[in-house]
Amino acid sequence: MWIEVNNALYKKFEFNNFSEAFAFMTRVAIEAEKMNHHPLWTNVYNKVEIWLSTHDAGNIVTDKDRKLAERIDGLTIS
């Protein structure tokens, strides 16, 4: 579940290993590039944390962030 914190949408993802986390980040990168909307994120081993906000709107959460969050949720491994 995405939560809104400090004017950003935030979610932490956990995977079985680094390879799965990195593959997920690659899929997110492709979607972000298509939307020209790039996340702030971190990765440590099997964990990926993502923060979404729209910088050109004053670093607030916009529909653009919600749409990317929805796409990101569709990329997770079931």
Side-chain angles (χ1 to χ4, degrees):
M1 169 188 270
W2 291 89
I3 59 170
E4 193 165 335
V5 59
N6 297 325
N7 294 320
L9 290 180
Y10 168 81
K11 189 169 183 180
K12 182 178 182 177
F13 298 85
E14 285 194 44
F15 300 91
N16 291 321
N17 53 48
F18 177 76
S19 293
E20 284 184 13
F22 196 87
F24 169 72
M25 291 176 70
T26 300
R27 293 189 302 273
V28 171
I30 291 167
E31 289 302 314
E33 189 66 17
K34 286 179 190 174
M35 292 181 66
N36 192 31
H37 192 52
H38 306 94
L40 169 64
W41 57 9
T42 62
N43 165 242
V44 177
Y45 181 56
N46 68 331
K47 294 174 181 66
V48 177
E49 292 181 80
I50 301 176
W51 295 264
L52 301 174
S53 66
T54 304
H55 306 293
D56 57 358
N59 293 315
I60 62 170
V61 175
T62 67
D63 284 340
K64 202 170 187 181
D65 303 299
R66 290 181 184 89
K67 287 177 187 171
L68 182 53
E70 187 176 311
R71 287 188 185 186
I72 290 170
D73 282 342
L75 300 173
T76 56
I77 300 169
S78 349

